[in-house]
Amino acid sequence: MTNKKPLTVGITGGIGSGKTTVAKIFSILGVPIYFADDRAKWLMGNDPILISKIKESFGEESFSESGELNRKYLAEKVFADTEKTKQINALVHPAVGKDFEVWVALQNAPYVLKEAALLFETGSYKQLDQVINVSAPLKLRVSRVLMRDPQRTEKQINDIIDKQLPDEEKNEKADFVIKNTENKLLIPQVLKIHQALKTKADSGQIDI
Ligand code: ATP
């Protein structure tokens, strides 16, 4: 039997845009989803090569004695320091990229989704055939996040937004845009893109 490599599709969007919500709708349609941010966290605590690289660059304190990732220590080191952010990204993103490739090869579907907050910003969109951006106005996004994560402050949310490409730029770069505003239904938009991606996959699948 010939195994077909699925079309790889990124799904991104700024904080609170609703990319996870939209990805879950695709999942109900049977589309395999790779949640890159969750997987990155898992790899940082479980991939021996990545763990040793993190220790080398950020010190043994990056992990507890029992071997758990010291997220608080790393976050404090990295968040306010652009160079250190670049350094950790240069370790984590290639590891996620490789892990994604392995995961894709195991999927049996016309197309798969990779959900990540930063696809354009990190360059990882280059590994993908198509990208969907989930778009919503800034004010709505901030209010959604405040509702979802009441422990977060508006300042913390804005600091994250400052590290993300503006929505307008992401819309321009994306192949598909889903508008997740209060007056637009999500499901018809998802169904339309699902159909388009299946057609594209049928016409352009690569034999592996
Ligand atoms: P993050 O980047 O922080 O992970 P995200 O882009 O994945 O955010 P979600 O977690 O999907 O966003 O959505 C943010 C919050 O807004 C969630 O609580 C979700 O339930 C809610 N939400 C998203 N879309 C809608 C919608 N169309 N109607 C109502 N609530 C929504």
Side-chain angles (χ1 to χ4, degrees):
M1 198 180 78
T2 320
N3 198 6
K4 301 272 191 186
K5 183 181 182 290
L7 203 68
T8 56
V9 182
I11 181 158
T12 191
I15 183 169
S17 60
K19 59 194 164 297
T20 308
T21 306
V22 174
K24 284 178 181 163
I25 303 175
F26 278 98
S27 170
I28 292 166
L29 296 171
V31 180
I33 321 278
Y34 182 93
F35 289 97
D37 301 334
D38 295 342
R39 192 65 186 164
K41 283 184 196 140
W42 187 86
L43 288 169
M44 287 171 83
N46 293 278
D47 175 343
I49 298 171
L50 182 57
I51 291 171
S52 71
K53 285 183 181 167
I54 294 172
K55 282 185 183 168
E56 222 173 84
S57 304
F58 295 93
E60 292 287 329
E61 313 93 290
S62 311
F63 291 83
S64 70
E65 280 189 15
S66 58
E68 268 182 51
L69 183 70
N70 189 344
R71 289 187 196 287
K72 194 164 177 275
Y73 166 84
L74 264 185
E76 277 166 8
K77 272 207 130 166
V78 163
F79 199 82
D81 185 330
T82 324
E83 273 314 303
K84 288 212 158 50
T85 305
K86 276 192 196 152
Q87 209 180 336
I88 189 107
N89 284 345
L91 300 179
V92 175
H93 289 137
V96 174
K98 279 191 200 135
D99 184 68
F100 176 66
E101 284 298 326
V102 172
W103 177 85
V104 171
L106 296 172
Q107 305 308 313
N108 183 14
Y111 75 94
V112 297
L113 284 184
K114 179 181 188 180
E115 191 250 17
L118 307 175
L119 275 185
F120 292 118
E121 294 86 343
T122 59
S124 56
Y125 73 99
K126 291 179 197 148
Q127 189 191 24
L128 301 162
D129 297 311
Q130 299 276 287
V131 177
I132 302 166
N133 188 49
V134 180
S135 171
L138 207 56
K139 257 178 91 171
L140 180 59
R141 286 164 46 201
V142 173
S143 71
R144 280 177 184 157
V145 177
L146 287 170
M147 285 261 279
R148 187 192 59 191
D149 312 329
Q151 79 287 358
R152 287 208 208 182
T153 64
E154 210 163 328
K155 157 97 174 61
Q156 286 171 333
I157 299 168
N158 283 324
D159 285 345
I160 292 172
I161 289 169
D162 287 345
K163 293 188 186 338
Q164 299 183 334
L165 211 60
D167 208 22
E168 302 71 36
E169 278 183 52
K170 281 197 277 224
N171 284 344
E172 269 177 38
K173 287 179 186 285
D175 302 283
F176 300 95
V177 174
I178 292 181
K179 291 214 154 82
N180 187 14
T181 55
E182 277 160 331
N183 55 3
K184 277 270 202 180
L185 292 175
L186 280 178
I187 292 171
Q189 298 183 75
V190 169
L191 288 176
K192 200 170 164 193
I193 294 172
H194 180 59
Q195 210 47 54
L197 287 171
K198 278 200 300 180
T199 307
K200 207 174 255 299
D202 280 348
S203 61
Q205 274 183 342
I206 310 149
D207 283 358
I208 53 169

